[in-house]
Amino acid sequence: MSEQWVTVTERDGTAVVRLVGEIDLTNASEVGQSIARGCGAAPAVLIDLTAVSFLDSSGVRVLDTLVGEFDSHGVRTRLVVGESGVARMTLQLCAFRDDLLAIDVEQAAAELRG
Amino acid sequence: MPHKEGDVPAIAGSYGDPEMKTTQRNAVMITGRDDGRPMMFSHGFGCDQNMWRLVAPAFVATHRIVLFDHVGSGASDLSAYDEKRYSELRGYASDVLEIIHDYALRGVIFVGHSVSAMIGVLAAIEEPERFDRLVLVGPSPCYINDPATGYVGGFGRSDIEEMLDSLDSNYLGWSSVMAPVIMGNPDRPELGAELTNSFCRTDPEIARQFARVTFFSDNRADLRNLRVPALILQCSDDVIAPSVVGDFVHRHLPDSTLHPMRATGHCPNLSAPQETIEAIRRYLGDDLDADAPWT
Amino acid sequence: MSEPEATQDLWAPWEDDPSDLYENAPCGYLTTLPDGTIVRVNETFLSWTGLKRSDLVGRRRFRDLLSTGGQLYHETHYAPLLAMQDDVHEIAFDIVRANGERLPALVNSVMHRDDAGRPRVIRTTVLNATERRGYERELLAARRLAEESERRVRVLQRIVADLAAAPTEAEAAAAVVRAPEPAFGATSSSVWLMDADRAQLVSVTSTDPAAAGHDDVSLKARHAVADVARRGTVHISGSVSEAERDYPDLAATMRRNGRDTAVLIPLSAVGTEEKDGPEVLGVLAFDFAEERALSETELRMAEMLGQQAGQALDRARLYDDLRRSEERATFLVSVTRAMEETHRLRPRSRRLVDRLVPEVADWAAVDLRVGPDGMRTEAGSTSPDAGWLTETIDAVAVGGEPRFLDTGPESGACPDCAVLPLTARGRVIGTLSLRMTPARHTASAEAGFLLDLADRAGLALENARLYEQERVIAQTLQRSLLAGEPPHDSRFAVETHYQPAGYDLEIGGDWFDVFLINTDKLAVVVGDVVGRGIDAATTMGQLRSAVRALATAEAGPARLLERLDDFTDRVESARMTTLAYAEVDLGTGEMTYACAGHLPPLLHEPTAPPRFLFDGRSAPLGSRAGRRPRAERRVRLVGGSRLLLYTDGLVERRDRPLDASLQVLAREYARRRDAPLPGLPAKLADTMVGRGHTDDVCLLCLALGAEERLERAIGADPAQIALLRKDLRGWLAGHQVAEESAQAILLAMSEAVANSIDHGYRDDPFGQVEVVARISAEAIEVRVTDHGVWRTPDDSEPEGRGLDLIRRMMDRVTIDRSNGTTVTLRKDRREAR
């Protein structure tokens, strides 16, 4: 069901999660579970939010939880939010750590490798 | 006594295009000149296209001759009989038009005997552009007297009922079943077969229906709508279509010629073929040699 | 070859007189010309017909001797045939005798032609066929009868085929009603079908438009239709008088419709041996305009038709039952689904009754035992007797047993009703009452289906009730938390607005709060707990308390947030809560604020366009991905500044980016720079989200320094004047109005309001008095307005008590009575000069 919002691929050992569409109260926890499942034991996770058209507090909460979990397991994480847009605006309002946010997938992947 | 082949000129023709729906249904026979003006002969109640065997051959050299049987008569397809369609003369008129369409006939000279005269009138009212002229042999728009309007058709309702009895008593189709019994020769069916081997063989039920439609129809009001010129051939002493009826038709058709005949009875096409042919020829006149825009 | 010779030997020469043989032959001879004119006729023919030779020869044609019908036949068949085949055999004609009688004859003719093939003469023999024709006529009659009977059989076969194909009772009835006219020559026919549930026969169809609207017949009635249905045997009334004897009402109907014979046939399915007789499923009645006896064969056919129809009805009924049970299953699913589309109790009840009417019931009501008075939701118009209903509902609610009331004398004013218990988790939560549509089976016949329906409805309504309960609790909780009076202080004013999400959504976790930390420090907060429902509301309450408890004059916003983080570590549901928090020093105008992942406050200073405060930003409470070090920012506000705090419901829209929404908000806010503070947050919410919003909206607007205008409205209650005075006093103080003037204004205002209450609203305890106070450099103006009708005073105080007093204290007083009464008081600011 959640394939419509979440796709997870693997790239040089990094789990690349791509989110699409609207993430809100109705699907946030499902999306969170899909991401957690899809990333498994990957040493690094890259979540691409550039195609997200709506992100509410439930979605932010899920992302926050995921990042917290990844952090606590030593999984390096990047959230790709572009230079502007819904996800960047919302996550900046929520003061997500600057080191978590990346402009594009290439940059984020490079950072995770390095 | 068997029919003597040589005594009457047979119509040398063949059945029309078997691809056409109407060919089989109406046993359509085409003969004469391919480039001749079409001349369509339509038989009346009682018999079939053989009624024209003494008249049609006279036009073979000059015209394209179209002969057919109404559904229920002669060699027509009995299975095509539809009680509803043929519950009025318009059904038969539609058949005439369908044949005309199938064979793409134009400028048709329609020769209708008895009830077929009215069938032709109805068809020509429907699609006048297809017809050149009508020849109405013994026409009657209404066989029943109408005291209310002073119309004399020649018959009362009881007369027609009596004739229907006659049909029942005589129907050759019926006789094919009953004749051996009646003659006390059930072991000689060929007697019956001989009787039914006639030109008037018809399914008795259909014959009854056709008789009812023929004799109980009233098409007087349709006459004035005919836009095609017509010739009325009126026999003397015709009990079925008396001369008062012929006069009535003549008065009410907008463009008609009344031709009284010396011939007596209702079937001048059989009893006086030569007079019939000459009357038709005279009416068609110079057209015979005219250009043929219909080809 | 000796036999022919022997025959020859038997020939008696003296008898061999050809002319005698011709004249007296055992058959008639006629010789005619081709046109039928008789030229020779023999004696036999003349003696049979009584016609005279002199009348015939040369004068008459053969045709003329025939009956008219015979002449027609002659012309259309005989003559053409003879012309074509030269001979015709065995033609039956009636020859008209001289006395007018008919001579049945069989005629043979042969046409003779000359050498050129031209017709010369016709020779005709006429055989007397009187006996034979009699026999033939009998044969013909027998054949016609056989044909008629065959035709009937065909009609019946066709109808039986129609019956076999009829999938419903209605179609079976429609097939059988068409039979009697073609089969028996009946004038009209009608069909009644048995409604066993209601013990009646229902008139379903008739071929006679005049007879349409046949009445339904009770099975117990003394009525021909009922009798036939009960007995299962055919009834025939061969005449009106016969009918009169047996069934007067049948006779009346026959007389009315001009019928002389009526036949009634039971439609019964055979083969149900275990019953007392075949089960009658209906009655076919047909009638004749004339007196008509049915033959044995016809009667058998009619009975056969009745049986065939009975079987078709039986089959249709089984098929119908099957279809109906499928329909019911589908219906149950659709009702359940329709109910689940809405969460709340009233709409869910509404969905239920609206689906039931008219498909199942003419009228339906759900009575739920909620609240002090219960709750009824009904649909349809023909409600049953109210007394019976109330009594039955109470009984069912207590006993939990369904009650069905079918048609019958005992059902009285409530035929075909059912009251079903709505149970959930073993408890009766209410009842479902129905009045069935007449088109369906009776309530008791549908009992299984109805109980199933009530079970499902009970569960769905119980869930809605629980939901409703939770919603009410959450709302109550939220309201109680948000309802607290903001502190009254002349140095600031606060307006808040809370707008719950659109209809039918669970409440959210938004909140606002305003409180004084100490006499000079004001705290304002707007926050948003993630999620919805009672959990969110509870968490919100905890956080709100926590903020109040943890805020101290010394700590400041950043420190407060750190403490809240600690709190959140223990209360998981509070994690990721966002909030905007500000502390204002009322003495200095200095404001310190912090945003924990919250939308930026919007500040509007008197001399600049509104701006968002993006600083002092840190992560939501308990965030793991966000910046935990808490930041705060300090800003100095001048008097007249307005600060707006709000939750995301105000600006978050799926069809507009957030930054665009923020721009719209800033613009709308600027547009209302001069609008009075009361009502401003509500207007902003209305402009920004309108109706049908899907999220809660919470706004708090803080105005620093006294309001430019004071606007208040009170009810027509003298006790409320004190509250008004308190507000006005604070406002005057905030504007540094001299004490003496302030006292005068307070007194004058009190008197004017009291006048409005006394005179304007003497008869209207719900009237409102509006007070607006404005201040300028020159003067203070107070306007007191009521919308009442002042009584014309009947004593020496023409304009109300205390007006003199007011005039003495104020510098100018005007009274406007154009629309209610507006008294305007003006006091010059002498101290300002």
Side-chain angles (χ1 to χ4, degrees):
Chain A
M1 194 49 206
S2 57
E3 303 82 63
Q4 62 187 109
W5 303 294
V6 184
T7 48
V8 183
T9 51
E10 193 261 314
R11 178 172 161 176
D12 302 334
T14 297
V16 180
V17 178
R18 184 172 158 80
L19 299 184
V20 177
E22 302 189 346
I23 314 292
D24 62 11
L25 185 59
T26 61
N27 64 352
S29 70
E30 199 179 335
V31 166
Q33 285 163 17
S34 294
I35 297 172
R37 236 188 351 259
C39 295
V45 172
L46 185 161
I47 303 175
D48 179 1
L49 293 142
T50 50
V52 168
S53 56
F54 184 81
L55 182 66
D56 79 347
S57 55
S58 310
V60 174
R61 183 183 161 121
V62 160
L63 289 174
D64 185 82
T65 306
L66 282 168
V67 170
E69 286 302 307
F70 291 145
D71 280 354
S72 63
H73 290 89
V75 177
R76 283 164 298 145
T77 311
R78 285 293 181 280
L79 305 176
V80 179
V81 292
E83 290 189 70
S84 64
V86 171
R88 173 167 286 274
M89 177 123 194
T90 305
L91 295 184
Q92 279 185 340
L93 277 173
C94 287
F96 269 44
R97 296 195 314 264
D98 292 335
D99 64 287
L100 283 171
L101 304 185
I103 291 174
D104 60 45
V105 176
E106 293 309 319
Q107 176 216 338
E111 284 175 12
L112 287 173
R113 273 197 305 276
Chain B
M1 186 180 290
H3 160 65
K4 288 179 281 293
E5 199 66 50
D7 287 354
V8 281
I11 302 170
S14 60
Y15 285 115
D17 186 343
E19 293 298 306
M20 307 290 188
K21 174 180 102 172
T22 54
T23 302
Q24 197 186 5
R25 185 184 68 190
N26 291 99
V28 176
M29 184 82 82
I30 305 285
T31 181
R33 272 177 63 158
D34 282 348
D35 60 347
R37 184 187 278 278
M39 199 165 180
M40 192 169 189
F41 290 92
S42 180
H43 70 85
F45 167 68
C47 289
D48 62 14
Q49 58 181 276
N50 280 289
M51 291 284 271
W52 300 109
R53 55 169 47 205
L54 303 182
V55 172
F59 298 92
V60 162
T62 50
H63 288 74
R64 186 174 187 206
I65 308 298
V66 179
L67 289 150
F68 69 97
D69 293 334
H70 288 299
V71 171
S73 303
S76 69
D77 178 5
L78 295 191
S79 69
Y81 189 78
D82 173 349
E83 208 166 308
K84 191 151 182 290
R85 178 178 173 94
Y86 299 113
S87 67
E88 50 179 19
L89 293 184
R90 267 168 234 288
Y92 292 96
S94 298
D95 282 3
V96 167
L97 292 173
E98 283 176 17
I99 294 168
I100 286 173
H101 291 162
D102 268 5
Y103 288 90
L105 306 179
R106 292 184 185 281
V108 172
I109 297 160
F110 181 92
V111 185
H113 174 228
S114 191
V115 68
S116 267
M118 284 315 298
I119 290 170
V121 168
L122 293 175
I125 289 169
E126 191 74 29
E127 294 188 31
E129 65 281 2
R130 293 283 186 164
F131 293 86
D132 181 57
R133 295 177 197 205
L134 304 184
V135 176
L136 312 178
V137 185
S140 173
C142 179
Y143 292 92
I144 310 286
N145 300 328
D146 180 8
T149 60
Y151 174 81
V152 177
F155 301 93
R157 287 198 154 260
S158 61
D159 295 328
I160 306 299
E161 296 293 350
E162 190 181 36
M163 194 230 19
L164 292 174
D165 276 353
S166 259
L167 273 182
D168 274 343
S169 303
N170 272 311
Y171 228 94
L172 301 172
W174 173 68
S175 297
S176 70
V177 180
M178 300 305 286
V181 180
I182 292 169
M183 290 188 235
N185 286 312
D187 53 347
R188 285 186 62 197
E190 70 272 18
L191 283 181
E194 191 174 305
L195 284 173
T196 56
N197 184 16
S198 80
F199 304 108
C200 295
R201 61 169 181 254
T202 309
D203 178 271
E205 273 307 317
I206 297 178
R208 275 185 80 82
Q209 294 296 334
F210 193 17
R212 287 186 171 278
V213 174
T214 298
F215 290 107
F216 288 129
S217 285
D218 181 355
N219 296 99
R220 285 177 289 171
D222 293 305
L223 293 176
R224 64 193 164 89
N225 297 323
L226 182 67
R227 296 285 168 266
V228 177
L231 169 68
I232 301 160
L233 293 185
Q234 177 64 50
C235 289
S236 41
D237 202 19
D238 181 351
V239 289
I240 292 188
S243 50
V244 284
V245 173
D247 291 343
F248 181 93
V249 174
H250 179 47
R251 270 202 315 281
H252 288 82
L253 282 181
D255 181 8
S256 69
T257 306
L258 179 65
H259 180 90
M261 296 179 73
R262 288 188 310 279
T264 60
H266 188 56
C267 300
N269 39 346
L270 286 170
S271 65
Q274 206 51 44
E275 188 187 0
T276 308
I277 290 164
E278 276 161 20
I280 297 174
R281 277 214 172 112
R282 195 171 315 121
Y283 180 67
L284 300 180
D286 301 334
D287 275 7
L288 292 182
D289 301 318
D291 287 341
W294 51 88
T295 53
Chain C
M1 285 291 168
S2 56
E3 262 186 272
E5 281 172 45
T7 309
Q8 196 71 37
D9 287 345
L10 288 172
W11 193 264
W14 59 88
E15 289 179 350
D16 192 12
D17 175 357
S19 98
D20 181 59
L21 182 60
Y22 177 81
E23 291 297 344
N24 299 307
C27 61
Y29 279 126
L30 289 159
T31 305
T32 64
L33 298 177
D35 71 355
T37 306
I38 297 167
V39 293
R40 198 173 173 197
V41 58
N42 76 347
E43 200 55 44
T44 309
F45 184 84
L46 294 175
S47 69
W48 283 350
T49 59
L51 296 166
K52 294 201 182 77
R53 192 183 309 267
S54 57
D55 291 339
L56 296 181
V57 173
R59 292 173 187 269
R60 307 283 294 276
R61 293 173 220 228
F62 173 64
R63 186 188 78 192
D64 302 337
L65 310 181
L66 305 176
S67 64
T68 313
Q71 288 180 12
L72 274 169
Y73 189 77
H74 181 279
E75 292 301 295
T76 52
H77 292 78
Y78 177 93
L81 264 182
L82 188 58
M84 285 189 286
Q85 12 178 82
D86 287 355
D87 50 31
V88 188
H89 296 282
E90 303 269 349
I91 300 295
F93 279 126
D94 280 357
I95 291 168
V96 183
R97 288 191 169 113
N99 63 5
E101 286 175 5
R102 306 283 173 96
L103 169 72
L106 281 176
V107 177
N108 296 304
S109 294
V110 177
M111 167 91 79
H112 289 270
R113 295 176 184 272
D114 61 18
D115 293 343
R118 284 189 297 264
R120 200 165 59 85
V121 292
I122 300 165
R123 291 199 179 118
T124 299
T125 61
V126 178
L127 299 159
N128 185 333
T130 309
E131 279 182 32
R132 185 150 132 181
R133 288 285 295 287
Y135 170 55
E136 266 181 54
R137 276 187 211 286
E138 278 172 28
L139 280 176
L140 186 62
R143 173 173 157 264
R144 281 207 181 148
L145 200 66
E147 276 178 0
E148 181 61 21
S149 136
E150 193 190 318
R151 199 179 56 78
R152 278 185 197 161
V153 169
R154 274 207 303 274
V155 166
L156 288 173
Q157 275 171 347
R158 201 181 62 232
I159 291 192
V160 167
D162 287 352
L163 282 172
T168 64
E169 289 191 326
E171 281 171 71
V176 76
V177 82
R178 288 195 303 267
E181 283 166 43
F184 308 113
T187 309
S188 62
S189 54
S190 310
V191 170
W192 281 261
L193 291 184
M194 178 72 86
D195 179 353
D197 294 351
R198 297 176 178 85
Q200 64 175 359
L201 288 141
V202 182
S203 168
V204 290
T205 178
S206 173
T207 62
D208 185 2
H214 272 311
D215 292 332
D216 297 346
V217 178
S218 164
L219 194 56
K220 299 190 179 88
R222 179 171 179 258
H223 190 288
V225 174
D227 253 10
V228 168
R230 280 199 305 271
R231 287 200 318 264
T233 53
V234 175
H235 170 80
I236 300 175
S237 285
S239 65
V240 175
S241 53
E242 260 183 59
E244 194 69 66
R245 192 188 59 215
D246 300 326
Y247 304 105
D249 53 341
L250 175 61
T253 308
M254 286 167 70
R255 238 182 248 114
R256 194 172 59 245
N257 294 331
R259 305 284 190 265
D260 277 331
T261 305
V263 182
L264 287 88
I265 293 168
L267 308 178
S268 46
V270 291
T272 48
E273 299 292 335
E274 66 275 21
K275 298 192 182 158
D276 285 347
E279 189 189 359
V280 177
L281 298 174
V283 172
L284 167 68
F286 55 93
D287 48 28
F288 299 89
E290 69 282 357
E291 291 193 4
R292 164 87 147 72
L294 285 193
S295 72
E296 212 34 52
T297 317
E298 286 175 324
L299 199 58
R300 275 207 310 279
M301 274 186 183
E303 283 172 338
M304 190 275 285
L305 182 67
Q307 285 169 10
Q308 291 289 340
Q311 278 172 12
L313 288 173
D314 197 31
R315 206 168 38 238
R317 208 171 45 169
L318 289 173
Y319 182 76
D320 209 40
D321 284 349
L322 188 70
R323 193 168 43 80
R324 209 169 284 206
S325 79
E326 273 170 21
E327 270 174 17
R328 283 181 197 137
T330 313
F331 181 76
L332 284 177
V333 169
S334 81
V335 170
T336 311
R337 193 174 298 143
M339 288 176 77
E340 280 169 357
E341 278 167 9
T342 172
H343 302 292
R344 303 199 48 196
L345 190 56
R346 171 75 78 178
R348 219 172 240 205
S349 307
R350 171 57 48 201
R351 290 279 174 105
L352 174 60
V353 294
D354 283 350
R355 287 291 282 112
L356 290 173
V357 177
E359 197 167 325
V360 171
D362 276 355
W363 171 88
V366 167
D367 286 274
L368 293 172
R369 304 211 287 175
V370 293
D373 304 320
M375 186 180 96
R376 167 170 291 185
T377 312
E378 65 182 319
S381 53
T382 53
S383 64
D385 177 74
W388 174 83
L389 189 62
T390 310
E391 201 177 292
T392 312
I393 286 174
D394 287 348
V396 171
V398 172
E401 287 298 315
R403 288 273 302 274
F404 297 98
L405 204 52
D406 285 354
T407 309
E410 69 278 7
S411 63
C414 329
D416 243 1
C417 288
V419 177
L420 311 153
L422 293 167
T423 52
R425 300 179 182 95
R427 207 171 65 84
V428 181
I429 60 163
T431 56
L432 171 62
S433 311
L434 296 163
R435 186 193 200 112
M436 305 297 284
T437 68
R440 292 185 71 101
H441 283 305
T442 54
S444 54
E446 301 256 29
F449 162 65
L450 293 178
L451 290 173
D452 206 359
L453 175 73
D455 274 356
R456 284 164 181 255
L459 197 60
L461 290 171
E462 171 67 1
N463 286 340
R465 195 185 62 80
L466 291 175
Y467 170 85
E468 202 77 54
Q469 211 169 42
E470 183 181 307
R471 182 183 160 90
V472 166
I473 293 169
Q475 268 179 353
T476 310
L477 184 65
Q478 190 185 41
R479 284 211 192 100
S480 71
L481 291 171
L482 298 180
E485 274 283 300
H488 277 281
D489 195 302
S490 57
R491 294 168 293 177
F492 66 91
V494 171
E495 275 285 321
T496 56
H497 179 70
Y498 175 75
Q499 187 169 314
Y503 185 72
D504 221 27
L505 277 169
E506 291 182 286
I507 59 151
D510 291 9
W511 91 94
F512 58 78
D513 202 5
V514 190
F515 57 96
L516 284 164
I517 299 172
N518 61 30
T519 49
D520 284 327
K521 191 161 269 187
L522 174 72
V524 289
V525 60
V526 163
D528 185 355
V529 176
V530 180
R532 312 193 70 84
I534 196 160
D535 286 348
T538 312
T539 307
M540 178 270 273
Q542 287 174 303
L543 273 170
R544 189 171 185 265
S545 302
V547 171
R548 281 198 176 219
L550 299 172
T552 61
E554 302 75 31
R559 181 81 191 96
L560 173 70
L561 292 182
E562 283 168 14
R563 290 171 181 174
L564 287 173
D565 279 331
D566 294 342
F567 171 83
T568 306
D569 286 344
R570 296 195 303 275
V571 182
E572 170 61 23
S573 59
R575 214 172 65 73
M576 295 305 283
T577 295
T578 65
L579 67 138
Y581 176 80
E583 291 176 357
V584 183
D585 186 318
L586 295 170
T588 62
E590 193 174 75
M591 177 174 85
T592 316
Y593 66 91
C595 278
H598 203 82
L599 289 161
L602 181 56
L603 175 63
H604 198 180
E605 290 164 299
T607 53
R611 61 183 172 104
F612 288 102
L613 304 178
F614 277 105
D615 300 313
R617 177 156 299 275
S618 54
L621 298 184
S623 170
R624 301 169 73 179
R627 292 191 298 273
R628 284 294 280 263
R630 294 302 177 180
E632 60 181 34
R633 178 59 71 101
R634 195 161 298 199
V635 61
R636 181 173 296 275
L637 303 180
V638 298
S641 294
R642 284 176 176 181
L643 179 73
L644 183 72
L645 304 183
Y646 53 93
T647 53
D648 52 8
L650 186 69
V651 288
E652 214 162 60
R653 283 177 50 169
R654 285 165 202 246
D655 56 353
R656 189 165 66 197
L658 186 58
D659 43 355
S661 283
L662 291 177
Q663 280 176 23
V664 174
L665 175 62
R667 196 169 63 230
E668 291 297 327
Y669 193 51
R671 214 159 60 78
R672 290 174 172 78
R673 173 197 291 269
D674 297 323
L677 191 62
L680 175 64
K683 286 201 182 87
L684 274 177
D686 190 53
T687 305
M688 293 299 292
V689 296
R691 325 231 170 286
H693 49 288
T694 56
D695 200 0
D696 294 16
V697 180
C698 196
L699 294 98
L700 181 150
C701 191
L702 169 69
L704 275 184
E707 292 172 80
E708 293 300 300
R709 263 155 64 115
L710 178 132
E711 285 184 69
R712 294 291 185 269
I714 65 163
D717 173 8
Q720 293 190 26
I721 299 177
L723 296 173
L724 206 56
R725 226 165 13 234
K726 184 171 170 248
D727 277 6
L728 187 59
R729 183 181 289 124
W731 182 78
L732 292 167
H735 286 285
Q736 284 91 41
V737 175
E739 181 62 21
E740 194 183 333
S741 293
Q743 287 299 340
I745 291 166
L746 284 170
L747 183 54
M749 184 276 292
S750 300
E751 287 300 322
V753 172
N755 268 350
S756 283
I757 292 172
D758 276 2
H759 297 278
Y761 294 125
R762 182 166 292 177
D763 301 322
D764 181 4
F766 302 109
Q768 277 213 326
V769 181
E770 289 149 20
V771 176
V772 178
R774 275 195 295 220
I775 187 161
S776 65
E778 292 80 33
I780 299 141
E781 198 179 83
V782 178
R783 237 171 15 190
V784 176
T785 304
D786 68 73
H787 302 286
V789 182
W790 279 46
R791 292 284 185 92
T792 309
D794 53 355
D795 54 21
S796 56
E797 294 177 274
E799 289 171 305
R801 179 166 59 94
L803 198 61
D804 279 350
L805 187 64
I806 295 172
R807 286 190 201 282
R808 262 184 275 127
M809 287 185 293
M810 294 291 105
D811 293 308
R812 197 163 73 208
V813 176
T814 56
I815 300 172
D816 176 7
R817 293 224 161 87
S818 60
N819 180 20
T821 299
T822 299
V823 178
T824 307
L825 318 170
R826 184 185 160 99
K827 184 78 176 168
D828 294 337
R829 294 187 73 178
R830 291 185 190 93
E831 76 275 3
R833 289 185 192 151

